[in-house]
C-alpha cells in the first residue's frame, strides 16, 4: 500500500503535498462560502468554479507541450510560488474588508492560468520520481494524500470561517506552498529518472492528439473522464446549495459534507493503491456505479443520510479517478506523457467551465436535488454507452453457464447456441428451463 514511500525523493514530495493540499482545500471551502455570502447565489459559485477551470479548457494542451519541453521540477517551483502569491493577495483583500465578487473571479481566473502549466507538470513528474514499477502505487498515494487533506482542510476551514472569517483560510493556504517548494528543492536530482526533453518544433499539439486517437486504451478512458469530470464532479456548486437552501446548516456542517466526501475518497485511494492492474471493464463499471449512486443521493431525505451516502459516492468517484489516471500514464510513452496528461487534465478539469454554470443554473432554477441528480444521471448514462460501444467494437458476446457469465469473441463458433448471429446464453443443465435466450 505504501511502497512508493521507500523512495526518498517521493517522501519529500508526499510530505510537502500533505501541507499544500490541506491549504488548498481550506481555500476552496472558504472561496465558495465567501462567494455565496457576497451574492447568495449558487450560480455565482458555479461561475467562480468555471473561471478557475476555463484556462485549462482553452490552453490545457499548450501546458502539456511546456511540461515536455522544460525540467518539470523547475516549472513546479515557479507555479507553486505563483499560487501562493495569489492566495496571499486574496487574503489581504478579504481581511481588509475590500473584497468584491469580481476580485474572487479574477483570482480564480489567474489561478487557472497557472494551473494550465502546473497540472501536466505535476502529473508527469511523478514517474520521474518513482519510476514505472511504482507508478500506479504513487498515483493512488497522491490521491490518498489529496483526500486526506480534504478530510482536514474543510473541517478546519469551516471552524475558521465561523470564528474569524474566510480571510485567514486564504492566508494559511498562501503559507502552505512554502512546504511543497521546500520539498522540491530538497530532492536529489541524481535519483530522478531522466526523461528526454522535447525539442521546439511545429506540430507537437497535433502529434499528441494523433497519438491519443490511435491508442484506444488511452482514448476511451479520456472520453469517460471528460463526461464524468464535466458533470459528475460538480460538488462545490451543488453542496453549497444543499447546505444553504435544503438543509439550512452553518459553515461547520457545510465543511462536514466535504469531509464525508473526502473520507470515502480516501478509502477508495488506499484500496486502489493495493490493486495491481487496471482493466477497462472495471473503469466502466465504477463510473456507472458512481453516477447511479450520485443520482440516488440527490433524494436523501435528511442531512445525516445525505452525508453518509456522500462518503460512498466519494469512494467510487476516487476509484474511478485513480484507475483512469494510472491507466493513461502506464500506457503512454514517456516522451508523450506531458501532452497526454495535459489532454487528460484538460477534459477532467477543463470541462468544469461548461458543467459548472449549467449545474449551477439547474441548482438555482430547480433546486439542488435536481442539480445533483442530473450530475449522476449524465455520468452513468455516458459510462453505459461507452460500455456498449466497447462490447460492439471488440466483437464479443455474452455466454452464461450456470452462475458464470463470460465474454467470448464473436469469431468463435457458438457452443450449444441456437443461432450464431446472436448472443449465446448457455444455462447450466439444471437451470435450463428457467433461462430465456
Amino acid at each position: 500500500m505504501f511502497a512508493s514511500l521507500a523512495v526518498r525523493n517521493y517522501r519529500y514530495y508526499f510530505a510537502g503535498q500533505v501541507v499544500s493540499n490541506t491549504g488548498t482545500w481550506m481555500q476552496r471551502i472558504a472561496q465558495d462560502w465567501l462567494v455565496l455570502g457576497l451574492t447568495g447565489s449558487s450560480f455565482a459559485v458555479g461561475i467562480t468554479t468555471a473561471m478557475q477551470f476555463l484556462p485549462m479548457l482553452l490552453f490545457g494542451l499548450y501546458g502539456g507541450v511546456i511540461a515536455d519541453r522544460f525540467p518539470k521540477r523547475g516549472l513546479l517551483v515557479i507555479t507553486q510560488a505563483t499560487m501562493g502569491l495569489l492566495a496571499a493577495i486574496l487574503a489581504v483583500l478579504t481581511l481588509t474588508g475590500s473584497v468584491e465578487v469580481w476580485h474572487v473571479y479574477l483570482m480564480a481566473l489567474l489561478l487557472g492560468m497557472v494551473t494550465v502549466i502546473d497540472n501536466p507538470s505535476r502529473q508527469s513528474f511523478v514517474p520521474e520520481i518513482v519510476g514505472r514499477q511504482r507508478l500506479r502505487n504513487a498515483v493512488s498515494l497522491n490521491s490518498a494524500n489529496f483526500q486526506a487533506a480534504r478530510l482536514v482542510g474543510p473541517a478546519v476551514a469551516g471552524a475558521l470561517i465561523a470564528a474569524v472569517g474566510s480571510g485567514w483560510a486564504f492566508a494559511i493556504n498562501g503559507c502552505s506552498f512554502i512546504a511543497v517548494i521546500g520539498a522540491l528543492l530538497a530532492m536529489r536530482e541524481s535519483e530522478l529518472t531522466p526523461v528526454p526533453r522535447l525539442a521546439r518544433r511545429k506540430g507537437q499539439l497535433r502529434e499528441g492528439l494523433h497519438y491519443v486517437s490511435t491508442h484506444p486504451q488511452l482514448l476511451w478512458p479520456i472520453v469517460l473522464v471528460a463526461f464524468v469530470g464535466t458533470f459528475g464532479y460538480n460538488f462545490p456548486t451543488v453542496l453549497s446549495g444543499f447546505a444553504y437552501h435544503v438543509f439550512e446548516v452553518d459553515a461547520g456542517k457545510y465543511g462536514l459534507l466535504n469531509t464525508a466526501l473526502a473520507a470515502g475518497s480516501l478509502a477508495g485511494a488506499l484500496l486502489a493503491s493495493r490493486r495491481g492492474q487496471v482493466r477497462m471493464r472495471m473503469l466502466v463499471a465504477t463510473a456507472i456505479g458512481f453516477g447511479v449512486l450520485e443520482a440516488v443521493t440527490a433524494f436523501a431525505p435528511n442531512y445525516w443520510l445525505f452525508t453518509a451516502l456522500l462518503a460512498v459516492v466519494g469512494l467510487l468517484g476516487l476509484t474511478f479517478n485513480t484507475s483512469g489516471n494510472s491507466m493513461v500514464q502506464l500506457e503512454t510513452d514517456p516522451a508523450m506523457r506531458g501532452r497526454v496528461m495535459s489532454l487528460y487534465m484538460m477534459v477532467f478539469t477543463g470541462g468544469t467551465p461548461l458543467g459548472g454554470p449549467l449545474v449551477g443554473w439547474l441548482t438555482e432554477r430547480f433546486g439542488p436535488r435536481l442539480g445533483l441528480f442530473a450530475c449522476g444521471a449524465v455520468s452513468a448514462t455516458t459510462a453505459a454507452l461507452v460500455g456498449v460501444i466497447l462490447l460492439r467494437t471488440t466483437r464479443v458476446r455474452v455466454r452464461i453457464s450456470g452462475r458464470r457469465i463470460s465474454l467470448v469473441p464473436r469469431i468463435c463458433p457458438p457452443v450449444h447456441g441456437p443461432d450464431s448471429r446472436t448472443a449465446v446464453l448457455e444455462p447450466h443443465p439444471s437451470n435450463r428451463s428457467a433461462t430465456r435466450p
Side-chain angles (χ1 to χ4, degrees):
M1 185 179 288
F2 302 103
S4 297
L5 293 176
V7 180
R8 176 186 178 275
N9 283 345
Y10 184 75
R11 288 199 300 273
Y12 279 109
Y13 181 80
F14 188 88
Q17 289 294 321
V18 168
V19 179
S20 181
N21 286 336
T22 302
T24 296
W25 274 110
M26 291 178 64
Q27 171 147 336
R28 286 191 180 187
I29 300 303
Q31 179 176 277
D32 292 343
W33 198 257
L34 175 63
V35 171
L36 203 58
L38 289 172
T39 65
S41 170
S42 295
F43 181 69
V45 177
I47 291 294
T48 307
T49 305
M51 295 297 285
Q52 185 167 332
F53 295 109
L54 181 63
M56 180 61 70
L57 177 64
L58 299 178
F59 310 111
L61 291 176
Y62 293 96
V65 173
I66 293 172
D68 280 338
R69 283 181 182 172
F70 297 96
K72 297 177 181 61
R73 184 167 65 148
L75 285 176
L76 287 173
V77 170
I78 295 172
T79 57
Q80 296 291 305
T82 307
M83 289 178 175
L85 178 62
L86 292 175
I89 293 173
L90 188 56
V92 170
L93 289 171
T94 306
L95 290 172
T96 57
S98 56
V99 67
E100 298 180 19
V101 70
W102 73 267
H103 292 144
V104 185
Y105 289 164
L106 178 61
M107 291 298 106
L109 179 64
L110 293 175
L111 181 62
M113 293 296 293
V114 180
T115 304
V116 166
I117 300 174
D118 183 80
N119 264 348
S121 300
R122 185 158 36 84
Q123 294 286 331
S124 56
F125 185 50
V126 175
E128 296 186 26
I129 302 175
V130 300
R132 181 178 176 85
Q133 184 178 0
R134 294 187 175 97
L135 178 58
R136 173 163 172 72
N137 179 260
V139 169
S140 297
L141 286 182
N142 285 346
S143 296
N145 185 325
F146 190 70
Q147 301 305 327
R150 194 176 182 178
L151 281 171
V152 178
V156 174
L160 205 60
I161 293 169
V164 293
S166 300
W168 287 106
F170 302 140
I172 292 173
N173 181 46
C175 294
S176 73
F177 287 97
I178 297 173
V180 70
I181 294 172
L184 289 167
L185 296 176
M187 289 182 180
R188 293 174 182 167
E189 188 171 0
S190 60
E191 296 178 5
L192 295 174
T193 302
V195 175
R197 292 210 294 270
L198 188 67
R200 184 184 181 88
R201 57 182 171 80
K202 293 182 178 180
Q204 290 170 335
L205 283 180
R206 290 194 302 272
E207 184 182 4
L209 292 173
H210 177 73
Y211 180 82
V212 171
S213 67
T214 55
H215 290 74
Q217 68 272 29
L218 300 177
L219 178 62
W220 288 114
I222 288 176
V223 169
L224 269 178
V225 163
F227 281 92
V228 176
T230 299
F231 297 99
Y233 285 101
N234 271 289
F235 295 111
T237 303
V238 178
L239 292 188
S240 59
F242 271 93
Y244 210 76
H245 299 295
V246 177
F247 300 122
E248 299 180 355
V249 296
D250 58 16
K253 286 190 175 180
Y254 170 55
L256 184 59
L257 292 179
N258 290 274
T259 300
L261 193 64
S265 300
L266 176 60
L270 292 175
L271 289 173
S273 70
R274 298 174 59 88
R275 191 176 297 114
Q277 287 185 317
V278 182
R279 297 184 182 276
M280 181 63 71
R281 63 189 180 192
M282 188 196 78
L283 195 66
V284 172
T286 306
I288 293 174
F290 167 76
V292 169
L293 185 60
E294 187 176 29
V296 170
T297 301
F299 301 102
N302 60 69
Y303 173 85
W304 294 110
L305 179 59
F306 182 78
T307 305
L309 288 174
L310 276 182
V312 187
V313 170
L315 188 150
L316 292 175
L318 205 283
T319 301
F320 168 78
N321 187 16
T322 56
S323 298
N325 188 303
S326 57
M327 178 182 289
V328 169
Q329 293 221 43
L330 287 170
E331 296 290 341
T332 302
D333 184 272
M336 300 290 297
R337 191 169 281 133
R339 281 166 286 176
V340 172
M341 291 312 297
S342 70
L343 178 61
Y344 179 93
M345 296 306 298
M346 184 185 77
V347 300
F348 181 59
T349 61
T352 305
L354 304 176
L358 177 59
V359 173
W361 178 81
L362 283 173
T363 299
E364 189 166 297
R365 176 75 174 173
F366 301 103
R369 294 191 185 278
L370 184 61
L372 185 59
F373 173 80
C375 292
V378 171
S379 299
T381 302
T382 302
L385 289 175
V386 169
V388 171
I389 291 171
L390 287 172
L391 284 174
R392 294 179 65 86
T393 57
T394 53
R395 299 183 62 80
V396 297
R397 28 175 212 179
V398 180
R399 184 172 70 198
I400 302 177
S401 179
R403 296 181 180 179
R404 185 175 180 179
I405 302 175
S406 59
L407 300 178
V408 296
R410 289 185 185 274
I411 59 174
C412 294
V415 181
H416 305 298
D419 188 349
S420 61
R421 295 170 299 173
T422 60
V424 178
L425 303 180
E426 295 184 343
H428 189 273
S430 62
N431 295 328
R432 189 178 298 272
S433 62
T435 306
R436 296 181 179 178

